[in-house]
Amino acid sequence: MVDSFEKIPVEILPTPQAGSSYAAKQIAELIKQKQKENQPCVLGLATGSTPIMMYKELIRLHKEEGLSFKNVITFNLDEYFPIKRDEYQSYWSFMHRNLFDHIDIDPKNIHVPNGELTKEEAKQHCIQYEQMIDDAGGLDLQVLGIGNNGHIGFNEPGASIFSKTRLTNLDNNTRVANSREFQNISKVPRLALTMGISTIMKAKRILLMAWGLKAQIVAKAVEGYVTEHVPASILQQHNNCTFILDEQAASELTRFKWPWLSGEIEWSPIMIKRAVVNLALKLEKPVLSLTTFDYNENGLGDLLVEKGDAYEINLQVFYLLRDSITGWPGGKPNAHLPAHPERSKPYPKRVIIFSPHPDDDIISMGGTFMRLHDQGHEVHVAYQTSGNIAVTDEFVTRFIDFAVGFEGLFNIDNEKSSEILAEAQNFLASKQPQQIDTSEIRAIKGLIRRGEAKATCRYVGLPEGRWHFQNLPFYETGSIEKNPMGEEDVKLTIELLRKIKPHQVYCAGDLADPHGTHKVCLDVVIESLKRIKAAGDDWVNDCWMWLYKGAWQEWDIADIEMAIPMSPDQVMKKRNGIFIHQSQKDTVPFQGSDNREFWQRAEDRNANTANLYAALGLTRYAAMEAFVRWKY
Ligand code: F6R
């Protein structure tokens, strides 16, 4: 049902997996219905990271449930230009790798815009592409993703509502976002062939999928004005378009962000906190200065009716915010503080910081990490994955060269290391984009990251034996795409948890880092703790789990349950700790669409949290790290 603020119907599923299965089911049903009618089913298809799981599910339906694609005709939305079909990054290759090679579609029914033509030929080709879609009877269903800038297909902001299939420029944002598929940004083509907005709008039905970090642009497209500056907002004018979202991508919609504006709600303490914090930030007033008038004028009259006086509500929220701030992440020893986020006892605590990649510990909770150690707790770090795909080829060559030089310097036989260097150089010289490294190179890349992680632990002051490199197998595919969580991942984690028996564990609570690694890492810990609990281990009942956010975002201020302030000195100390990760400095292979380095993101975000607390009327700190408690 279209909610009053939502101008496009939205289907919300808990996870990207569930959303992908839902979308796949819609498509499968349409294909079957068309089969019954003896009709072809004409599908418009998209590439990118969003639809990959949906294609997997379609393949599963084909292999396990006999779904046939014999009557399916496909037209892809777009293709880079120029590009050779058989290059790894071409959308032609993408579609074959992720779908066509695994189903029974007739190859002559597959259409992807042709990136191999000259510019002159491309014009004619675009006209033909439109014609071919019409000749096939028009698109029965178009699958879309959405760019962070609101693009659909490669119709970038500003594209006309009347645009047709054409050659177009890629927006800089898009080139940065898509550079993950290429070696670096300079290799991303500047042009692309794309169906136009009018081509897309002619489809009989449209399914747009979006997961995770797309929440803001999704809200603009669904609830904002129709504008060519947000091409996806034009879909508001389509009469059969649905957005399929996971919970995170839906989180900026009014019904979640400001539910009190969307109808009746249950005024739980967290809902009150959210409403009041939002009100204060919107009016740029400290919480304690909000008046009855402010509540009434901003749609919160109901809250006053139910809870009474504005000042009472202000105080309640102010105390919640105040009590979330502590300099004692492991609890304050010998103090009785019932409203404190952590227990005082036992002291000291055994703590495990689970770090999905070898630097998430210091980037996301470096200040807290140092405090926990300095305050006498037994801190362990579990590096969950090797992080070996995120080391550049130049960096690995430099390190092998160092090993050869080191052995030479001390008259150690360096024949073997010279051989490894020569082999690596040979391999890297002809390495194709996306080609998986040899197992030796992967191992060395992992070793480089382990060295950096160990150095960080020493920098914080941890003694030997407190760092644990789990090398969880789900990660070790050598490519961006990871395996799902497996039994071995859980087994390794259970073993570690049982060995340490922690009172506190910290995990990355990102449900949407670019490659999904953080989510799997979190699932592995939760599954392990659940199994340990089910097995009846006593200690686990006294183990609290705190979630931090990875490099990509921060918790909503109203949801924060523990905020650890940092002094300017601690900010600098954390920065230097992040600098230890030299393989990740300056440029990293997987930058994402944010050009800032990790230390800059961390500092901006920690300063921002402190500023928000100050804006709400609490003490102004230099920076703050934020946590939410997870009850498993
Ligand atoms: C892909 C396409 C693009 C993507 C969009 C989102 O064929 O036309 O519009 O759908 O850029 O990309 P991902 O899914 O990688 O975030």
Side-chain angles (χ1 to χ4, degrees), residues 45-51 76-79 91 143-149 151-155 174 177-178 180-181 194 209 211 214:
L45 298 179
T47 57
S49 56
T50 308
N76 261 83
L77 270 174
D78 39 22
E79 177 61 286
Y91 286 168
V143 174
L144 295 176
I146 181 171
N148 285 317
N149 59 4
H151 74 207
I152 46 176
F154 279 137
N155 295 286
T174 302
N178 289 14
R180 62 169 188 264
E181 299 158 13
T194 182
M209 293 181 283
W211 324 127
K214 300 274 174 69

PDB file of all heavy atoms in Angstrom, residues 45-51 76-79 91 143-149 151-155 174 177-178 180-181 194 209 211 214, ligand 1:
ATOM      1  N   LEU A  45      16.878  -6.111 -18.146  1.00  0.00           N
ATOM      2  CA  LEU A  45      17.730  -6.537 -17.028  1.00  0.00           C
ATOM      3  C   LEU A  45      18.808  -5.510 -16.694  1.00  0.00           C
ATOM      4  O   LEU A  45      19.234  -4.735 -17.543  1.00  0.00           O
ATOM      5  CB  LEU A  45      18.382  -7.878 -17.362  1.00  0.00           C
ATOM      6  CG  LEU A  45      17.407  -9.035 -17.570  1.00  0.00           C
ATOM      7  CD1 LEU A  45      18.172 -10.301 -17.922  1.00  0.00           C
ATOM      8  CD2 LEU A  45      16.514  -9.268 -16.351  1.00  0.00           C
ATOM      9  N   ALA A  46      19.228  -5.553 -15.434  1.00  0.00           N
ATOM     10  CA  ALA A  46      20.242  -4.611 -14.950  1.00  0.00           C
ATOM     11  C   ALA A  46      21.479  -5.385 -14.501  1.00  0.00           C
ATOM     12  O   ALA A  46      21.414  -6.585 -14.221  1.00  0.00           O
ATOM     13  CB  ALA A  46      19.688  -3.821 -13.774  1.00  0.00           C
ATOM     14  N   THR A  47      22.579  -4.687 -14.398  1.00  0.00           N
ATOM     15  CA  THR A  47      23.809  -5.281 -13.848  1.00  0.00           C
ATOM     16  C   THR A  47      24.109  -4.589 -12.514  1.00  0.00           C
ATOM     17  O   THR A  47      23.220  -4.026 -11.903  1.00  0.00           O
ATOM     18  CB  THR A  47      24.979  -5.088 -14.837  1.00  0.00           C
ATOM     19  OG1 THR A  47      25.090  -3.687 -15.076  1.00  0.00           O
ATOM     20  CG2 THR A  47      24.733  -5.810 -16.132  1.00  0.00           C
ATOM     21  N   GLY A  48      25.355  -4.620 -12.080  1.00  0.00           N
ATOM     22  CA  GLY A  48      25.716  -3.980 -10.811  1.00  0.00           C
ATOM     23  C   GLY A  48      25.656  -4.969  -9.667  1.00  0.00           C
ATOM     24  O   GLY A  48      25.317  -6.149  -9.861  1.00  0.00           O
ATOM     25  N   SER A  49      25.955  -4.500  -8.454  1.00  0.00           N
ATOM     26  CA  SER A  49      25.989  -5.429  -7.323  1.00  0.00           C
ATOM     27  C   SER A  49      24.581  -5.802  -6.855  1.00  0.00           C
ATOM     28  O   SER A  49      24.366  -6.882  -6.312  1.00  0.00           O
ATOM     29  CB  SER A  49      26.784  -4.815  -6.166  1.00  0.00           C
ATOM     30  OG  SER A  49      26.237  -3.565  -5.818  1.00  0.00           O
ATOM     31  N   THR A  50      23.616  -4.909  -7.094  1.00  0.00           N
ATOM     32  CA  THR A  50      22.281  -5.125  -6.523  1.00  0.00           C
ATOM     33  C   THR A  50      21.600  -6.417  -6.996  1.00  0.00           C
ATOM     34  O   THR A  50      21.096  -7.170  -6.163  1.00  0.00           O
ATOM     35  CB  THR A  50      21.387  -3.907  -6.813  1.00  0.00           C
ATOM     36  OG1 THR A  50      22.079  -2.741  -6.393  1.00  0.00           O
ATOM     37  CG2 THR A  50      20.048  -4.015  -6.115  1.00  0.00           C
ATOM     38  N   PRO A  51      21.540  -6.691  -8.313  1.00  0.00           N
ATOM     39  CA  PRO A  51      20.732  -7.851  -8.727  1.00  0.00           C
ATOM     40  C   PRO A  51      21.438  -9.197  -8.648  1.00  0.00           C
ATOM     41  O   PRO A  51      20.818 -10.223  -8.961  1.00  0.00           O
ATOM     42  CB  PRO A  51      20.375  -7.517 -10.183  1.00  0.00           C
ATOM     43  CG  PRO A  51      21.463  -6.632 -10.667  1.00  0.00           C
ATOM     44  CD  PRO A  51      22.035  -5.918  -9.476  1.00  0.00           C
ATOM     45  N   ASN A  76      19.246  -5.859 -22.011  1.00  0.00           N
ATOM     46  CA  ASN A  76      19.926  -5.206 -20.891  1.00  0.00           C
ATOM     47  C   ASN A  76      19.840  -3.697 -21.005  1.00  0.00           C
ATOM     48  O   ASN A  76      19.769  -3.138 -22.087  1.00  0.00           O
ATOM     49  CB  ASN A  76      21.374  -5.674 -20.786  1.00  0.00           C
ATOM     50  CG  ASN A  76      21.494  -6.738 -19.728  1.00  0.00           C
ATOM     51  OD1 ASN A  76      21.219  -7.905 -20.003  1.00  0.00           O
ATOM     52  ND2 ASN A  76      21.825  -6.328 -18.507  1.00  0.00           N
ATOM     53  N   LEU A  77      19.860  -3.092 -19.821  1.00  0.00           N
ATOM     54  CA  LEU A  77      19.730  -1.644 -19.734  1.00  0.00           C
ATOM     55  C   LEU A  77      20.861  -0.885 -20.401  1.00  0.00           C
ATOM     56  O   LEU A  77      20.647   0.143 -21.020  1.00  0.00           O
ATOM     57  CB  LEU A  77      19.829  -1.244 -18.256  1.00  0.00           C
ATOM     58  CG  LEU A  77      18.617  -1.166 -17.401  1.00  0.00           C
ATOM     59  CD1 LEU A  77      19.059  -0.897 -15.977  1.00  0.00           C
ATOM     60  CD2 LEU A  77      17.719  -0.033 -17.875  1.00  0.00           C
ATOM     61  N   ASP A  78      22.083  -1.398 -20.203  1.00  0.00           N
ATOM     62  CA  ASP A  78      23.212  -0.548 -20.572  1.00  0.00           C
ATOM     63  C   ASP A  78      24.485  -1.342 -20.793  1.00  0.00           C
ATOM     64  O   ASP A  78      24.551  -2.537 -20.512  1.00  0.00           O
ATOM     65  CB  ASP A  78      23.441   0.542 -19.505  1.00  0.00           C
ATOM     66  CG  ASP A  78      23.245   0.037 -18.093  1.00  0.00           C
ATOM     67  OD1 ASP A  78      23.352  -1.187 -17.883  1.00  0.00           O
ATOM     68  OD2 ASP A  78      22.982   0.840 -17.186  1.00  0.00           O
ATOM     69  N   GLU A  79      25.483  -0.666 -21.271  1.00  0.00           N
ATOM     70  CA  GLU A  79      26.811  -1.253 -21.491  1.00  0.00           C
ATOM     71  C   GLU A  79      27.828  -0.120 -21.518  1.00  0.00           C
ATOM     72  O   GLU A  79      27.510   0.992 -21.950  1.00  0.00           O
ATOM     73  CB  GLU A  79      26.825  -2.011 -22.826  1.00  0.00           C
ATOM     74  CG  GLU A  79      28.162  -2.626 -23.228  1.00  0.00           C
ATOM     75  CD  GLU A  79      28.698  -3.679 -22.257  1.00  0.00           C
ATOM     76  OE1 GLU A  79      29.177  -3.276 -21.172  1.00  0.00           O
ATOM     77  OE2 GLU A  79      28.636  -4.890 -22.573  1.00  0.00           O
ATOM     78  N   TYR A  91      29.247  -5.534 -19.534  1.00  0.00           N
ATOM     79  CA  TYR A  91      27.986  -6.039 -18.996  1.00  0.00           C
ATOM     80  C   TYR A  91      27.544  -7.306 -19.724  1.00  0.00           C
ATOM     81  O   TYR A  91      26.793  -8.118 -19.191  1.00  0.00           O
ATOM     82  CB  TYR A  91      26.925  -4.936 -19.045  1.00  0.00           C
ATOM     83  CG  TYR A  91      27.160  -3.876 -17.968  1.00  0.00           C
ATOM     84  CD1 TYR A  91      26.466  -2.667 -17.981  1.00  0.00           C
ATOM     85  CD2 TYR A  91      28.068  -4.086 -16.933  1.00  0.00           C
ATOM     86  CE1 TYR A  91      26.679  -1.707 -16.991  1.00  0.00           C
ATOM     87  CE2 TYR A  91      28.285  -3.135 -15.947  1.00  0.00           C
ATOM     88  CZ  TYR A  91      27.595  -1.950 -15.974  1.00  0.00           C
ATOM     89  OH  TYR A  91      27.795  -1.008 -14.999  1.00  0.00           O
ATOM     90  N   VAL A 143      13.885  -4.666 -14.708  1.00  0.00           N
ATOM     91  CA  VAL A 143      14.571  -4.703 -13.411  1.00  0.00           C
ATOM     92  C   VAL A 143      15.520  -3.504 -13.350  1.00  0.00           C
ATOM     93  O   VAL A 143      16.261  -3.255 -14.296  1.00  0.00           O
ATOM     94  CB  VAL A 143      15.406  -5.996 -13.292  1.00  0.00           C
ATOM     95  CG1 VAL A 143      16.239  -5.981 -12.020  1.00  0.00           C
ATOM     96  CG2 VAL A 143      14.518  -7.215 -13.356  1.00  0.00           C
ATOM     97  N   LEU A 144      15.507  -2.809 -12.224  1.00  0.00           N
ATOM     98  CA  LEU A 144      16.409  -1.662 -12.070  1.00  0.00           C
ATOM     99  C   LEU A 144      17.154  -1.730 -10.744  1.00  0.00           C
ATOM    100  O   LEU A 144      16.644  -2.279  -9.761  1.00  0.00           O
ATOM    101  CB  LEU A 144      15.626  -0.340 -12.071  1.00  0.00           C
ATOM    102  CG  LEU A 144      14.891   0.094 -13.328  1.00  0.00           C
ATOM    103  CD1 LEU A 144      14.121   1.389 -13.051  1.00  0.00           C
ATOM    104  CD2 LEU A 144      15.867   0.298 -14.479  1.00  0.00           C
ATOM    105  N   GLY A 145      18.349  -1.111 -10.727  1.00  0.00           N
ATOM    106  CA  GLY A 145      19.015  -0.748  -9.480  1.00  0.00           C
ATOM    107  C   GLY A 145      18.944   0.764  -9.420  1.00  0.00           C
ATOM    108  O   GLY A 145      18.348   1.406 -10.287  1.00  0.00           O
ATOM    109  N   ILE A 146      19.575   1.341  -8.445  1.00  0.00           N
ATOM    110  CA  ILE A 146      19.588   2.807  -8.363  1.00  0.00           C
ATOM    111  C   ILE A 146      20.997   3.259  -7.973  1.00  0.00           C
ATOM    112  O   ILE A 146      21.624   2.643  -7.097  1.00  0.00           O
ATOM    113  CB  ILE A 146      18.518   3.328  -7.373  1.00  0.00           C
ATOM    114  CG1 ILE A 146      18.515   4.862  -7.301  1.00  0.00           C
ATOM    115  CG2 ILE A 146      18.692   2.751  -5.978  1.00  0.00           C
ATOM    116  CD1 ILE A 146      17.327   5.431  -6.507  1.00  0.00           C
ATOM    117  N   GLY A 147      21.494   4.284  -8.639  1.00  0.00           N
ATOM    118  CA  GLY A 147      22.819   4.806  -8.279  1.00  0.00           C
ATOM    119  C   GLY A 147      22.700   5.711  -7.065  1.00  0.00           C
ATOM    120  O   GLY A 147      21.611   6.212  -6.755  1.00  0.00           O
ATOM    121  N   ASN A 148      23.829   5.947  -6.399  1.00  0.00           N
ATOM    122  CA  ASN A 148      23.796   6.867  -5.249  1.00  0.00           C
ATOM    123  C   ASN A 148      23.351   8.259  -5.651  1.00  0.00           C
ATOM    124  O   ASN A 148      22.906   9.038  -4.813  1.00  0.00           O
ATOM    125  CB  ASN A 148      25.185   6.962  -4.623  1.00  0.00           C
ATOM    126  CG  ASN A 148      25.478   5.717  -3.827  1.00  0.00           C
ATOM    127  OD1 ASN A 148      24.620   5.225  -3.088  1.00  0.00           O
ATOM    128  ND2 ASN A 148      26.681   5.175  -3.995  1.00  0.00           N
ATOM    129  N   ASN A 149      23.498   8.583  -6.922  1.00  0.00           N
ATOM    130  CA  ASN A 149      23.042   9.897  -7.387  1.00  0.00           C
ATOM    131  C   ASN A 149      21.627   9.820  -7.964  1.00  0.00           C
ATOM    132  O   ASN A 149      21.157  10.771  -8.570  1.00  0.00           O
ATOM    133  CB  ASN A 149      24.020  10.449  -8.437  1.00  0.00           C
ATOM    134  CG  ASN A 149      24.136   9.514  -9.642  1.00  0.00           C
ATOM    135  OD1 ASN A 149      23.435   8.509  -9.722  1.00  0.00           O
ATOM    136  ND2 ASN A 149      25.011   9.852 -10.567  1.00  0.00           N
ATOM    137  N   HIS A 151      20.627   7.709 -10.351  1.00  0.00           N
ATOM    138  CA  HIS A 151      20.499   7.289 -11.755  1.00  0.00           C
ATOM    139  C   HIS A 151      19.788   5.948 -11.875  1.00  0.00           C
ATOM    140  O   HIS A 151      19.830   5.114 -10.976  1.00  0.00           O
ATOM    141  CB  HIS A 151      21.851   7.296 -12.474  1.00  0.00           C
ATOM    142  CG  HIS A 151      22.790   6.180 -12.128  1.00  0.00           C
ATOM    143  ND1 HIS A 151      24.153   6.292 -12.229  1.00  0.00           N
ATOM    144  CD2 HIS A 151      22.574   4.908 -11.697  1.00  0.00           C
ATOM    145  CE1 HIS A 151      24.721   5.156 -11.892  1.00  0.00           C
ATOM    146  NE2 HIS A 151      23.780   4.301 -11.551  1.00  0.00           N
ATOM    147  N   ILE A 152      19.117   5.797 -13.008  1.00  0.00           N
ATOM    148  CA  ILE A 152      18.557   4.488 -13.370  1.00  0.00           C
ATOM    149  C   ILE A 152      19.094   4.172 -14.753  1.00  0.00           C
ATOM    150  O   ILE A 152      19.144   5.040 -15.612  1.00  0.00           O
ATOM    151  CB  ILE A 152      17.000   4.469 -13.343  1.00  0.00           C
ATOM    152  CG1 ILE A 152      16.418   5.691 -14.040  1.00  0.00           C
ATOM    153  CG2 ILE A 152      16.493   4.333 -11.927  1.00  0.00           C
ATOM    154  CD1 ILE A 152      14.890   5.672 -14.120  1.00  0.00           C
ATOM    155  N   GLY A 153      19.509   2.920 -14.973  1.00  0.00           N
ATOM    156  CA  GLY A 153      20.330   2.656 -16.149  1.00  0.00           C
ATOM    157  C   GLY A 153      21.512   3.591 -16.001  1.00  0.00           C
ATOM    158  O   GLY A 153      21.966   3.868 -14.893  1.00  0.00           O
ATOM    159  N   PHE A 154      21.982   4.135 -17.104  1.00  0.00           N
ATOM    160  CA  PHE A 154      23.012   5.174 -16.977  1.00  0.00           C
ATOM    161  C   PHE A 154      22.402   6.529 -17.307  1.00  0.00           C
ATOM    162  O   PHE A 154      23.033   7.380 -17.917  1.00  0.00           O
ATOM    163  CB  PHE A 154      24.238   4.856 -17.828  1.00  0.00           C
ATOM    164  CG  PHE A 154      25.159   3.863 -17.166  1.00  0.00           C
ATOM    165  CD1 PHE A 154      25.733   2.831 -17.891  1.00  0.00           C
ATOM    166  CD2 PHE A 154      25.470   3.969 -15.807  1.00  0.00           C
ATOM    167  CE1 PHE A 154      26.587   1.920 -17.280  1.00  0.00           C
ATOM    168  CE2 PHE A 154      26.322   3.065 -15.192  1.00  0.00           C
ATOM    169  CZ  PHE A 154      26.875   2.035 -15.928  1.00  0.00           C
ATOM    170  N   ASN A 155      21.157   6.711 -16.915  1.00  0.00           N
ATOM    171  CA  ASN A 155      20.532   8.021 -17.042  1.00  0.00           C
ATOM    172  C   ASN A 155      20.907   8.808 -15.805  1.00  0.00           C
ATOM    173  O   ASN A 155      20.314   8.667 -14.733  1.00  0.00           O
ATOM    174  CB  ASN A 155      19.017   7.877 -17.161  1.00  0.00           C
ATOM    175  CG  ASN A 155      18.645   7.160 -18.434  1.00  0.00           C
ATOM    176  OD1 ASN A 155      18.731   7.737 -19.511  1.00  0.00           O
ATOM    177  ND2 ASN A 155      18.289   5.880 -18.317  1.00  0.00           N
ATOM    178  N   THR A 174      29.384   8.101 -10.591  1.00  0.00           N
ATOM    179  CA  THR A 174      29.171   6.739 -11.091  1.00  0.00           C
ATOM    180  C   THR A 174      30.507   6.088 -11.414  1.00  0.00           C
ATOM    181  O   THR A 174      30.741   4.917 -11.107  1.00  0.00           O
ATOM    182  CB  THR A 174      28.281   6.793 -12.353  1.00  0.00           C
ATOM    183  OG1 THR A 174      27.075   7.429 -11.997  1.00  0.00           O
ATOM    184  CG2 THR A 174      28.017   5.417 -12.914  1.00  0.00           C
ATOM    185  N   ALA A 177      32.038   5.102  -8.155  1.00  0.00           N
ATOM    186  CA  ALA A 177      31.345   3.933  -7.575  1.00  0.00           C
ATOM    187  C   ALA A 177      31.696   2.663  -8.352  1.00  0.00           C
ATOM    188  O   ALA A 177      31.924   1.605  -7.762  1.00  0.00           O
ATOM    189  CB  ALA A 177      29.838   4.162  -7.577  1.00  0.00           C
ATOM    190  N   ASN A 178      31.783   2.769  -9.684  1.00  0.00           N
ATOM    191  CA  ASN A 178      32.015   1.569 -10.491  1.00  0.00           C
ATOM    192  C   ASN A 178      33.491   1.227 -10.635  1.00  0.00           C
ATOM    193  O   ASN A 178      33.834   0.222 -11.245  1.00  0.00           O
ATOM    194  CB  ASN A 178      31.370   1.738 -11.873  1.00  0.00           C
ATOM    195  CG  ASN A 178      29.854   1.690 -11.767  1.00  0.00           C
ATOM    196  OD1 ASN A 178      29.305   1.796 -10.677  1.00  0.00           O
ATOM    197  ND2 ASN A 178      29.182   1.530 -12.878  1.00  0.00           N
ATOM    198  N   ARG A 180      35.248   0.015  -8.570  1.00  0.00           N
ATOM    199  CA  ARG A 180      35.514  -1.271  -7.908  1.00  0.00           C
ATOM    200  C   ARG A 180      35.631  -2.402  -8.929  1.00  0.00           C
ATOM    201  O   ARG A 180      36.250  -3.418  -8.671  1.00  0.00           O
ATOM    202  CB  ARG A 180      34.410  -1.596  -6.889  1.00  0.00           C
ATOM    203  CG  ARG A 180      33.069  -1.737  -7.521  1.00  0.00           C
ATOM    204  CD  ARG A 180      31.994  -2.318  -6.605  1.00  0.00           C
ATOM    205  NE  ARG A 180      30.818  -2.576  -7.406  1.00  0.00           N
ATOM    206  CZ  ARG A 180      29.802  -1.751  -7.518  1.00  0.00           C
ATOM    207  NH1 ARG A 180      29.776  -0.638  -6.838  1.00  0.00           N
ATOM    208  NH2 ARG A 180      28.779  -2.035  -8.295  1.00  0.00           N
ATOM    209  N   GLU A 181      34.988  -2.235 -10.093  1.00  0.00           N
ATOM    210  CA  GLU A 181      35.046  -3.308 -11.092  1.00  0.00           C
ATOM    211  C   GLU A 181      36.307  -3.216 -11.945  1.00  0.00           C
ATOM    212  O   GLU A 181      36.622  -4.124 -12.694  1.00  0.00           O
ATOM    213  CB  GLU A 181      33.829  -3.220 -12.025  1.00  0.00           C
ATOM    214  CG  GLU A 181      32.502  -3.383 -11.315  1.00  0.00           C
ATOM    215  CD  GLU A 181      31.353  -2.783 -12.114  1.00  0.00           C
ATOM    216  OE1 GLU A 181      31.528  -2.462 -13.304  1.00  0.00           O
ATOM    217  OE2 GLU A 181      30.270  -2.612 -11.521  1.00  0.00           O
ATOM    218  N   THR A 194      22.985   3.484 -23.001  1.00  0.00           N
ATOM    219  CA  THR A 194      21.938   3.173 -22.025  1.00  0.00           C
ATOM    220  C   THR A 194      20.549   3.337 -22.619  1.00  0.00           C
ATOM    221  O   THR A 194      20.347   4.192 -23.486  1.00  0.00           O
ATOM    222  CB  THR A 194      22.055   4.073 -20.774  1.00  0.00           C
ATOM    223  OG1 THR A 194      21.043   3.699 -19.832  1.00  0.00           O
ATOM    224  CG2 THR A 194      21.889   5.561 -21.078  1.00  0.00           C
ATOM    225  N   MET A 209      15.257  -2.523  -7.270  1.00  0.00           N
ATOM    226  CA  MET A 209      15.764  -3.089  -6.007  1.00  0.00           C
ATOM    227  C   MET A 209      16.832  -2.171  -5.427  1.00  0.00           C
ATOM    228  O   MET A 209      17.614  -1.578  -6.180  1.00  0.00           O
ATOM    229  CB  MET A 209      16.406  -4.456  -6.259  1.00  0.00           C
ATOM    230  CG  MET A 209      15.422  -5.516  -6.676  1.00  0.00           C
ATOM    231  SD  MET A 209      16.290  -7.083  -6.919  1.00  0.00           S
ATOM    232  CE  MET A 209      17.048  -6.795  -8.473  1.00  0.00           C
ATOM    233  N   TRP A 211      19.474  -1.995  -1.778  1.00  0.00           N
ATOM    234  CA  TRP A 211      19.857  -2.552  -0.476  1.00  0.00           C
ATOM    235  C   TRP A 211      20.776  -1.602   0.273  1.00  0.00           C
ATOM    236  O   TRP A 211      21.511  -0.819  -0.315  1.00  0.00           O
ATOM    237  CB  TRP A 211      20.606  -3.892  -0.613  1.00  0.00           C
ATOM    238  CG  TRP A 211      20.186  -4.804  -1.702  1.00  0.00           C
ATOM    239  CD1 TRP A 211      20.991  -5.363  -2.648  1.00  0.00           C
ATOM    240  CD2 TRP A 211      18.860  -5.295  -1.974  1.00  0.00           C
ATOM    241  NE1 TRP A 211      20.260  -6.164  -3.477  1.00  0.00           N
ATOM    242  CE2 TRP A 211      18.954  -6.145  -3.100  1.00  0.00           C
ATOM    243  CE3 TRP A 211      17.608  -5.107  -1.391  1.00  0.00           C
ATOM    244  CZ2 TRP A 211      17.850  -6.801  -3.639  1.00  0.00           C
ATOM    245  CZ3 TRP A 211      16.510  -5.750  -1.931  1.00  0.00           C
ATOM    246  CH2 TRP A 211      16.637  -6.588  -3.036  1.00  0.00           C
ATOM    247  N   LYS A 214      21.744   2.608   0.325  1.00  0.00           N
ATOM    248  CA  LYS A 214      21.043   3.456  -0.650  1.00  0.00           C
ATOM    249  C   LYS A 214      19.875   4.226  -0.012  1.00  0.00           C
ATOM    250  O   LYS A 214      19.082   4.858  -0.711  1.00  0.00           O
ATOM    251  CB  LYS A 214      20.508   2.585  -1.797  1.00  0.00           C
ATOM    252  CG  LYS A 214      21.577   1.824  -2.576  1.00  0.00           C
ATOM    253  CD  LYS A 214      22.161   2.666  -3.674  1.00  0.00           C
ATOM    254  CE  LYS A 214      23.322   2.021  -4.406  1.00  0.00           C
ATOM    255  NZ  LYS A 214      22.987   0.892  -5.233  1.00  0.00           N
TER     256      LYS A 214
HETATM  257  C1  F6R B   1      23.207  -1.332 -14.106  1.00  0.00           C
HETATM  258  C2  F6R B   1      22.751   0.053 -14.093  1.00  0.00           C
HETATM  259  C3  F6R B   1      22.925   0.961 -12.926  1.00  0.00           C
HETATM  260  C4  F6R B   1      22.922   0.253 -11.569  1.00  0.00           C
HETATM  261  C5  F6R B   1      23.201   1.264 -10.454  1.00  0.00           C
HETATM  262  C6  F6R B   1      23.363   0.607  -9.114  1.00  0.00           C
HETATM  263  O1  F6R B   1      22.866  -1.991 -15.305  1.00  0.00           O
HETATM  264  O2  F6R B   1      22.229   0.470 -15.068  1.00  0.00           O
HETATM  265  O3  F6R B   1      21.898   1.914 -12.954  1.00  0.00           O
HETATM  266  O4  F6R B   1      21.696  -0.370 -11.369  1.00  0.00           O
HETATM  267  O5  F6R B   1      24.386   1.960 -10.739  1.00  0.00           O
HETATM  268  O6  F6R B   1      24.520  -0.139  -9.104  1.00  0.00           O
HETATM  269  P1  F6R B   1      24.843  -1.165  -7.902  1.00  0.00           P
HETATM  270  O7  F6R B   1      23.769  -2.188  -7.964  1.00  0.00           O
HETATM  271  O8  F6R B   1      26.174  -1.742  -8.266  1.00  0.00           O
HETATM  272  O9  F6R B   1      24.840  -0.362  -6.658  1.00  0.00           O
END
